[in-house]
Structure formats: structure tokens, C-alpha cells
Amino acid sequence: MALAAYTLKDPQLFEAPRPFEAQYRLEVRGWPGATITHSLSNEGNHWLSDMRFSITVARGQEFSRFSLDGDDTHALLFNSSYSVLGMGDSYQLNESDIPTLDRQTALFDLSRRAGHENCIESAPCTIEFVDQKGRDEHFQYYVTDPGSIEVPAGEFEALNVSLIDIEKPDRLLTISFHPDWPGLILSAVYHKEGRRETQLTLTRFQPDGGATP
């Protein structure tokens, strides 16, 4: 890693969230491809992040409501549901069930926070959140050199983050976030034992009330 080329953002200037709608192409090894829709919207005193997908044999949705207090993100409600071949389940976590962050809120918070802290591969930072059943997840993350990335939705500047599951170090998730739109994923790739299992790519991006930057 060329550390000299990596410059931290101003630690006092976390990006303010802005509403958007996006679509991603999801590729999972052994499954047909799917389109995921993702929206971030303001609901007065809190924000809503909503992701959903549907293919012939499966569908799923999860959404999170959270509030902001300065640079701090506070989870309020998380809902997750899925169905495969007509069978599935749903989960809901209320504020009292979420001691840290839920999965959706953690992605949003990470996209704002990464780049403001000196999280490098030799000295990673930690992030904790709960899964859909309220079980604790513990990850380490570090930021690699920023740069541009070209995806079907266009070419964008990217904030590149790598996450490692502390309990399963053979698994690596790399995410490229848009540095100016908290919560917006440009690309994500999940590797297990060195093999790519899942890839997510931005195919459409529509800011609320504006043209694509």
C-alpha cells in the first residue's frame, strides 16, 4: 500500500446524508443474477435505508431506520425478510435489541466514517453490529488508496474499504463507497478462502431531485 498517497479527510467534516435511489447487479456463485434496489430517504427526524431484490426462486428485503446526532449514528429499527421457493422467514429488531448498529445502519455509518480515521492494513479499526437475529458481528476494516472506479452506472471517485470477519479471517469483503453520498455502494466483492463468492455492482444512480454527479 502506498501510504504516502493516502490522505485522511478532515476529521470534523463527515458527509451529510442525501436521499438517493440506486440499482445494483448482484452475482452470487451458483445462483442466477439479480437486481437489488436501494434507496436512502429522509423521514423527518430519522433516515430510512431500504434494500430489496426478487428473482424467480427467491426474494428478500431489509430496511433500517436510524437517526443522526452529529457524527454519531443511532439505530432505531431493523427489519429483514426473505423467501426461497416459497419458504422463508422474517426478523425485526427494535431499538432495545440493537446495542451497537444493525447491518444496514453499519454500512451507512462505515461509508461516512471510513477515511476520517487512520485505519490501515497494519493497524485496522473495528466495527461491530448485529445480524438479523440480533447476534453480534465483529469486523476489522482498513482503507486503501482512493481512486476512480468505472461501473455500469458511470465513472466515480471511490473510497475503498476492506473488511475482515474477526471470527472468520479467511473471508474478505471489499467495498467501494461514493465519498460524497453516504450509504451509496459503487462495488462490493466478497471472497471466501480466496474465491469470489458474491459481487455487487452499481448499475443506476439517481439522486433525489438532481442529476447523477
Side-chain angles (χ1 to χ4, degrees), residues 3 5-11 113-120 143 146:
L3 294 179
Y6 176 65
T7 303
L8 290 174
K9 295 181 180 181
D10 188 324
R113 189 170 301 279
H116 292 271
E117 302 165 321
N118 192 26
C119 306
I120 59 177
V143 180

Side-chain angles (χ1 to χ4, degrees), residues 3-164:
L3 294 179
Y6 176 65
T7 303
L8 290 174
K9 295 181 180 181
D10 188 324
Q12 304 302 317
L13 295 177
F14 277 34
E15 291 294 333
R18 291 182 281 176
F20 65 80
E21 294 183 358
Q23 285 187 351
Y24 308 107
R25 181 64 176 175
L26 175 65
E27 302 287 346
V28 180
R29 190 170 62 86
W31 284 79
T35 296
I36 292 181
T37 61
H38 180 202
S39 64
L40 181 70
S41 56
N42 181 258
E43 297 189 332
N45 294 326
H46 60 265
W47 290 81
L48 173 68
S49 178
D50 186 308
M51 281 189 178
R52 61 185 70 194
F53 78 93
S54 178
I55 56 177
T56 304
V57 297
R59 61 177 177 83
Q61 178 188 11
E62 64 179 44
F63 66 83
S64 173
R65 285 187 169 90
F66 58 89
S67 62
L68 298 176
D69 181 9
D71 292 339
D72 295 327
T73 307
H74 186 69
L76 302 174
L77 176 72
F78 178 74
N79 186 282
S80 176
S81 61
Y82 71 92
S83 174
V84 179
L85 298 175
M87 297 181 292
D89 212 336
S90 61
Y91 306 90
Q92 179 169 301
L93 302 176
N94 297 313
E95 183 177 1
S96 59
D97 304 317
I98 309 172
T100 51
L101 298 173
D102 61 72
R103 186 164 53 208
Q104 280 281 322
T105 304
L107 275 174
F108 169 85
D109 186 70
L110 178 62
S111 71
R112 285 182 90 206
R113 189 170 301 279
H116 292 271
E117 302 165 321
N118 192 26
C119 306
I120 59 177
E121 187 171 4
S122 60
C125 298
T126 60
I127 182 170
E128 297 182 351
F129 57 93
V130 296
D131 68 6
Q132 72 275 13
K133 295 183 179 180
R135 299 173 298 195
D136 293 332
E137 298 277 3
H138 305 278
F139 279 75
Q140 291 182 327
Y141 72 91
Y142 57 91
V143 180
T144 58
D145 289 342
S148 62
I149 183 173
E150 187 169 353
V151 292
E155 185 174 358
F156 303 93
E157 292 300 311
L159 177 65
N160 303 307
V161 182
S162 296
L163 296 103
I164 301 172

